[in-house]
Amino acid sequence: MDNKELAIKKSPELSLEIIKKYICPTATEQEAYMFLQLCKAQGLNPFLREAYLIKYGDKKATMVTGKETFTKRADRLPQYDGFKAGIIVQTGEAIQYREGSFVLPSETLLGGWAEVYRKDRGQSFRNEVSMSEYARKKSDGSYMAQWAEMPATMIRKVAIVQGLREAFPDEFGGMYAPEE
């Protein structure tokens, strides 16, 4: 039995009724069905916060995968050889690539970066993402809570999941993190 089969067997039996009652009551039948199929196909357990079905008002529901799901699954892959990730900041005219997510109040946060390593490749998969493209905003133009409170952490997460998806498309294709 492989890891995907094991994950599916440990998951509670998902159904449209359970999704609509406990996970996303405002989801349409189609949205709940698509979420159910994503969870089955990828072996995701929404009760372990591996996947979310998010819906705001009348907008189309979004299916997302927790960042930890990406990193936990990557750790189980024999080809995975780790990652480095950080933020891109500007101080005056200088632009700096920094590991982690530490940013000073006097600096401008421009984006995030990640480098994913595979044992079976000669070079890493490197991604850089910009704040202006990914920082999530409400309809009034203000940043959503997590982006307002910890933007450096959020943009770093976007870079990590994008890097993992590019490095391992068979494992992570079609899976997106809420930060994206």
Side-chain angles (χ1 to χ4, degrees):
M1 183 180 317
D2 66 16
N3 287 338
K4 194 178 244 183
E5 289 172 344
L6 185 60
I8 291 170
K9 288 189 184 271
K10 287 183 179 179
S11 298
E13 189 62 36
L14 278 181
S15 67
L16 293 178
E17 180 183 331
I18 288 173
I19 292 168
K20 295 215 21 102
K21 185 173 182 180
Y22 298 107
I23 296 172
C24 189
T26 58
T28 65
E29 290 290 318
Q30 182 182 13
E31 292 165 338
Y33 179 79
M34 294 300 290
F35 182 70
L36 175 65
Q37 295 310 313
L38 172 72
C39 289
K40 284 182 177 180
Q42 292 289 352
L44 297 168
N45 183 338
F47 299 105
L48 295 177
R49 302 190 188 280
E50 293 176 341
Y52 304 88
L53 182 61
I54 303 166
K55 186 165 179 123
Y56 296 108
D58 294 340
K59 294 182 180 178
K60 183 179 173 187
T62 305
M63 294 173 263
V64 294
T65 307
K67 179 217 144 225
E68 286 75 26
T69 302
F70 282 83
T71 54
K72 285 178 186 179
R73 287 184 176 199
D75 279 338
R76 294 192 300 250
L77 298 172
Q79 308 94 333
Y80 180 63
D81 202 20
F83 73 88
K84 287 183 183 177
I87 56 172
I88 306 165
V89 296
Q90 183 173 7
T91 306
E93 296 296 315
I95 294 176
Q96 180 183 14
Y97 289 74
R98 182 178 298 154
E99 278 194 63
S101 55
F102 178 79
V103 61
L104 294 169
S106 61
E107 296 174 320
T108 302
L109 179 61
L110 301 175
W113 64 271
E115 202 161 349
V116 177
Y117 303 96
R118 285 184 63 141
K119 294 174 184 170
D120 60 346
R121 302 289 166 91
Q123 63 184 38
S124 63
F125 290 80
R126 183 173 174 91
N127 277 359
E128 297 179 12
V129 294
S130 69
M131 280 293 293
S132 62
E133 189 172 348
Y134 286 96
R136 308 277 278 183
K137 294 183 179 181
K138 300 177 195 173
S139 57
D140 68 3
S142 63
Y143 287 110
M144 295 185 89
Q146 298 241 336
W147 282 95
E149 293 170 17
M150 49 184 164
T153 298
M154 300 298 280
I155 197 67
R156 181 177 176 269
K157 286 182 183 183
V158 171
I160 292 169
V161 298
Q162 282 196 8
L164 288 169
R165 197 168 40 246
E166 287 185 18
F168 300 99
D170 287 340
E171 287 293 322
F172 302 115
M175 294 169 55
Y176 296 89
E179 296 80 15
E180 294 180 279

